[in-house]
Amino acid sequence: MTPEKTISGFSKLRKRDKIKWIAKNFFTDPEHVMNELISYWHGDAAQQKILDGFSENTISNFPMPYGVAPNFLIDGKTYVVPMVIEESSVVAAASAAAKFWMSRGGFKTEILDTQKVGQVHFKWSGNPEKLKGIFPQIKELLILESKDITVNMEQRGGGILDIELLDFNEEEKGLYQIRAYFDTCDSMGANFVNSCLESFGATLRNYVIKSDKLAEDEKDVLIVMSILSNYTPDCLVRASVSCKVDELGDFAGGLNSETFAEKFVTAVKIAHIDPYRATTHNKGIYNGVDAVALATGNDFRAIESCGHTYASRDGKYRSLSYAQVENGIFKFWIDLPLAIGTVGGLTTLHPIAKRSIELLGNPDAKELMSIIASTGLAQNFAAIRSLVTTGIQKGHMKMHLQNILNQMKATEEESSKALKYFDDRVVSFAGVRNFLDSIR
Ligand code: MEV
């Protein structure tokens, strides 16, 4: 790498100097780049300071569209759902699906459980049975010595639910795990869980060193690491929609409700059979889930990694949603693990995330789980509805057309001519360019 492309002490530079160094060494038009990056700074320095506080080496802000999908009827309550997403059609699809189901009873949800999970991985070379024998005593100590951390959460109704010892000697000699289960109430609880786990690690170490129940050669334990698990299969919400098949109505292309239902159920089955399809199918679900997670300041990476593990829980990657027709009733539902929060973390700090929570009527974590799962299901419904009727490109390209027109700096008059022209034509980058050239 050329010397001007490396630097030491970058983090210590003032923000303007960071930008200056980057603009000068990585761009051909440094002045323009500098102005452009600075133009995205927040006008209010205090607000900018809050944003900068979320990360490191920040030089600007990266704007993303903040949209809303109205008309979500969930458990009898209507919501306007905030969504942060850069992909065209997603918010439109969620809104259309929400409206469709609003007149058919809306979304129904059920919280199946809300357990969070954490692990202390350690190595110990003594007799496994001996460790198992003294574990009840160790467990009591783990709970007792983490009281300082758990006392507040307990006052809020949460805390440690259970702690167990797992033996991994078969996979790796001397390897064990303390697996702990937590209720973190309305917070996502990462800090709480990790603090408890680090306390468990220290307690375990002290116990092993000092215990008179262990021989001298058993008094050595290696705490490998203590960290929450983002796999929370028992922090689960079910969202569903259903109606009589004939209430589904008729669909584009002259498709009647029976054929639509049959194609729809088969499409979902395919996503249970074939991981290639399941991946795209679930991606569509996360278009909705991630967008609400982002808008409400939740950790969408944690949510997604958990969902994909859950989708593979029987050893094969499958659809997260299910569909059936039984006794003339069409039913479509999703079981989604969602470890989210409505207090603490970014949710409380990010000014727009705070507004999102307010827009949703200040839900608790369970209610937000229901909203997010319903949005994921709506997104999945809209995608499959398009796929089995008109195909996805028609709606998608219409939205995409507007993006291409903006990129090509089309005037309002040019845009409206282009929208008419492409109404029954395939949209492509080259096609739009040719059309604009022909009218310019
Ligand atoms: C595109 O972002 C998502 C879809 O591909 C989902 C699906 O195919 O089900 C439309």
Side-chain angles (χ1 to χ4, degrees), residues 70-265:
N71 300 320
F72 261 94
L73 179 63
I74 304 170
D75 299 325
K77 203 168 152 184
T78 45
Y79 297 90
V80 174
V81 177
M83 300 176 82
V84 173
I85 183 140
E86 83 299 351
E87 184 177 330
S88 49
S89 301
V90 169
V91 176
S95 309
K99 203 163 171 202
F100 180 93
W101 285 107
M102 186 165 220
S103 55
R104 291 166 178 83
F107 296 81
K108 308 269 171 13
T109 75
E110 194 185 335
I111 304 296
L112 301 175
D113 212 336
T114 58
Q115 269 184 36
K116 310 285 166 52
V117 184
Q119 304 167 304
V120 179
H121 306 273
F122 67 95
K123 287 191 100 171
W124 183 70
S125 56
N127 176 347
E129 293 318 309
K130 196 162 179 182
L131 185 60
K132 286 172 201 167
I134 57 174
F135 192 71
Q137 229 176 307
I138 298 178
K139 180 172 161 177
E140 261 179 44
L141 263 185
L142 298 178
I143 294 170
L144 189 73
E145 293 189 0
S146 56
K147 268 280 174 249
D148 279 356
I149 305 165
T150 55
V151 66
N152 274 348
M153 192 60 86
E154 279 167 10
Q155 271 165 16
R156 284 157 56 194
I160 300 166
L161 298 174
D162 198 8
I163 304 177
E164 57 183 355
L165 175 72
L166 302 178
D167 177 352
F168 288 90
N169 270 288
E170 270 187 26
E171 285 91 343
E172 165 82 14
K173 197 165 170 17
L175 183 65
Y176 296 87
Q177 184 189 125
I178 291 175
R179 188 173 294 173
Y181 303 90
F182 302 88
D183 178 351
T184 60
C185 304
D186 288 328
S187 65
M188 194 268 188
N191 277 332
F192 169 74
V193 171
N194 287 333
S195 299
C196 287
L197 296 170
E198 288 186 5
S199 156
F200 293 170
T203 298
L204 175 69
R205 208 167 164 275
N206 281 340
Y207 179 90
V208 171
I209 292 168
K210 292 187 188 144
S211 173
D212 54 11
K213 302 220 163 36
L214 299 173
E216 274 316 301
D217 62 351
E218 291 172 325
K219 287 184 185 263
D220 195 19
V221 62
L222 180 70
I223 308 296
V224 181
M225 56 186 171
S226 307
I227 182 74
L228 63 74
S229 170
N230 284 122
Y231 185 43
T232 51
D234 293 317
C235 191
L236 198 65
V237 53
R238 175 169 297 163
S240 65
V241 286
S242 71
C243 70
K244 288 188 186 141
V245 170
D246 55 21
E247 283 169 7
L248 286 166
D250 290 333
F251 292 85
L255 206 66
N256 66 27
S257 55
E258 280 78 23
T259 316
F260 170 80
E262 190 190 342
K263 284 182 87 174
F264 194 101
V265 170

Side-chain angles (χ1 to χ4, degrees), residues 16 50 181 198 316 326 414:
R16 266 178 203 277
I50 294 175
Y181 303 90
E198 288 186 5
K316 181 167 167 176
E326 222 174 69
E414 287 170 343

Side-chain angles (χ1 to χ4, degrees), residues 85 87-90 271 277-285 287 379-387 392-393 396:
I85 183 140
E87 184 177 330
S88 49
S89 301
V90 169
R277 175 57 205 152
T279 306
T280 320
H281 178 99
N282 289 344
K283 189 271 182 186
I285 292 171
N287 276 345
Q379 210 65 56
N380 195 205
F381 178 79
I384 300 173
R385 179 171 64 172
S386 291
L387 289 169
I392 207 77
Q393 284 309 83
H396 215 84

Side-chain angles (χ1 to χ4, degrees), residues 327-349:
N327 304 323
I329 306 287
F330 170 84
K331 185 170 176 199
F332 181 45
W333 74 101
I334 189 168
D335 284 351
L336 203 63
L338 274 176
I340 49 105
T342 53
V343 298
L346 215 61
T347 306
T348 331
L349 295 172

